[in-house]
Amino acid sequence: MKLAAAVAALVTMGALGMADASATQTSQQAYEAMPDTTGTGPYPAVKRTDPGLPEHVLYQPADLSKLGGKKLGVLVWGNGACSDDGASVRFHLAEIASHGYLVIAPGRVLTGPGAPPRPQTPPPPGPLGIKTTTAQVAAGIDWALAENARQGSPFFGRIDPRLVAVSGHSCGGLQALEIAADPRVHAVIVHNSGVFKDGTNPIRGITIDKAALRRLHTPVLYIMGGPSDIAWPNGTDDFDRIDAVPAMLASLDVGHGGTFQDANGGRVTPVDVAWLEWQLRGDAAAAGWFRGEGCRLCTDPAWTVRKKRID
């Protein structure tokens, strides 16, 4: 079990077995030892922080001049478990950035290169609750658009305000659904998440309910990890209820943790990139991942696909 799966399961269920915790620790140690990656897109990415947004981690093309006349899109990301580790899925976010996006995650660099030393004795788990708020995730949009308008900013005039998206994993996916109502948002991706179908909210600081689905105003993509994904009942119920906007549910049978710790974010990340390129930039080739009976995901036996109003 990978860290993202285990931590998110802890948030939603409130417990981890000792064997799972040991496997998680081993997996996490291997992941943290890996160097940052620059992605496979045309604009090699860098992970950094900015004094103007000190409680967030940025992923962006390292050399903005290489963009030429191309404008950056903006993706704000909700961390799994609503944690304050803005580097928890650094491979995934760097890969997206390498395709011409400024990606902003709340928190600090707490794992991998640049992270502070871990305490020898980790603190015991506390009560279920968030460490970053929905407002902190949304603050990335405010900051990016302000930087686009600020003379002297490296992002001055480099961002297209129409190219704003929100995404997140597990608890962070609930934050993404809350932010999706913002009229500035034009694309939504929800990973391994869904509003609790029984109406409960066991996570302190999260107050979302199914009414949030009625506030969606853009197409939405759910990426799930198959029936073994702890969020499967909630995410599939969300999909069943959405009726006002186009929606797609694409499932890869990898469980709740997705493929974020695989090279360049693994098999889920190109799907994110294609969705963003289609929804934000109208890229016809990217649309081919999703549209028609012969869509790329539809014909890949590893994926299970459901669609509403996509074709």
Side-chain angles (χ1 to χ4, degrees):
M1 179 184 287
K2 294 184 178 177
L3 179 71
V7 171
L10 177 61
V11 167
T12 38
M13 295 185 71
L16 266 180
M18 292 299 293
D20 284 345
S22 177
T24 294
Q25 184 176 15
T26 300
S27 174
Q28 179 63 12
Q29 289 172 346
Y31 176 61
E32 289 190 29
M34 297 178 185
D36 287 339
T37 52
T38 60
T40 65
Y43 312 105
V46 64
K47 180 189 81 186
R48 57 177 286 263
T49 56
D50 190 287
L53 196 67
E55 294 301 317
H56 290 72
V57 181
L58 311 183
Y59 301 80
Q60 66 177 78
D63 186 350
L64 295 175
S65 69
K66 298 293 186 183
L67 291 165
K70 182 172 183 172
K71 299 290 187 178
L72 285 167
V74 175
L75 174 70
V76 293
W77 172 263
N79 301 320
C82 295
S83 81
D84 55 351
D85 183 6
S88 58
V89 293
R90 54 197 169 95
F91 295 168
H92 176 69
L93 301 185
E95 175 64 23
I96 294 172
S98 76
H99 291 269
Y101 292 88
L102 169 61
V103 184
I104 306 175
R108 296 171 293 133
V109 176
L110 298 181
T111 51
R118 282 184 174 275
Q120 289 189 344
T121 304
L128 302 181
I130 64 174
K131 291 189 176 181
T132 53
T133 66
T134 298
Q136 284 175 279
V137 179
I141 300 175
D142 300 331
W143 182 83
L145 297 184
E147 286 295 287
N148 186 54
R150 182 177 70 84
Q151 292 192 21
S153 166
F155 299 109
F156 178 63
R158 292 192 180 276
I159 293 170
D160 186 335
R162 297 169 298 180
L163 308 184
V164 175
V166 62
S167 184
H169 176 240
S170 192
C171 181
L174 299 179
Q175 293 176 323
L177 284 169
E178 289 187 291
I179 296 167
D182 189 320
R184 298 173 297 179
V185 170
H186 295 285
V188 180
I189 306 172
V190 178
H191 281 273
N192 311 94
S193 187
V195 181
F196 292 96
K197 64 182 296 185
D198 61 2
T200 64
N201 250 327
I203 309 171
R204 290 188 312 164
I206 293 290
T207 58
I208 191 170
D209 58 30
K210 294 289 186 181
L213 304 177
R214 298 195 294 270
R215 294 189 285 271
L216 291 166
H217 63 93
T218 70
V220 57
L221 171 65
Y222 279 73
I223 299 181
M224 304 297 294
S228 66
D229 183 345
I230 194 172
W232 180 259
N234 299 331
T236 54
D237 183 69
D238 278 9
F239 179 83
D240 290 340
R241 291 171 184 256
I242 293 169
D243 57 12
V245 298
M248 184 163 181
L249 188 150
S251 180
L252 184 69
D253 196 12
V254 293
H256 189 64
T259 64
F260 298 122
Q261 293 187 0
D262 294 342
N264 299 305
R267 288 177 285 175
V268 304
T269 309
V271 181
D272 283 48
V273 172
W275 185 262
L276 295 173
E277 291 292 278
W278 177 33
Q279 296 297 320
L280 299 180
R281 294 191 165 108
D283 186 284
W289 282 71
F290 312 100
R291 297 195 69 180
E293 291 183 6
C295 79
R296 184 164 176 173
L297 287 180
C298 305
T299 56
D300 186 334
W303 289 87
T304 301
V305 171
R306 296 176 64 193
K307 297 193 278 186
K308 292 180 178 179
R309 301 177 182 173
I310 292 292
D311 298 327

